[in-house]
Amino acid sequence: QVQLVESGGGLVQPGGSLRLSCAGYGIIFRLYHMRWYRQIPGGERELVAYISADGRTNYEEFAKDRFTISRDNTKKTLYLQMDRLKPDDTAVYFCHGELGGRTYWGQGTQVTVAS
């Protein structure tokens, strides 16, 4: 059974940091292109960052210079390091895997940035 399982969310003060993880089960993780998305209540899911199977990265403008996407294929895990967090970063964060049109989503992890 294929599963993407996120962890690492929580409550953090503005200016703080969090590292999200997404573990992949039931897939050949190293072959998948991976993304982080986020969604605020009542809003649409928006792309945060992308990492290809061979490690190329791309970020949405709001994530540049604050967020870092990475992957450890030996651990079948995707990461999102988030620094200098702002209240506007409050959302549910989802990981997404894609290979040849086959796509999978995690269940999401809540990130709340508040003092």
Side-chain angles (χ1 to χ4, degrees), residues 10 20 30 34-35 39 42-43 47 52 55 64 68 75 78 80 102-103 107-108 111:
L20 306 183
R30 61 182 173 82
M34 302 296 296
R35 294 172 174 85
Q39 187 172 21
L47 179 64
S52 68
K64 289 180 180 178
T68 304
K75 296 182 179 179
L78 174 73
L80 184 69
R102 189 174 298 178
T103 65
Q107 82 288 350
V111 171

Side-chain angles (χ1 to χ4, degrees), residues 47-48 59-66:
L47 179 64
V48 177
Y59 298 88
E60 293 300 294
E61 192 62 35
F62 66 83
K64 289 180 180 178
D65 300 323
R66 295 192 301 126

Side-chain angles (χ1 to χ4, degrees), residues 26 28 67 96 115:
I28 305 175
F67 294 1
H96 173 273
S115 55

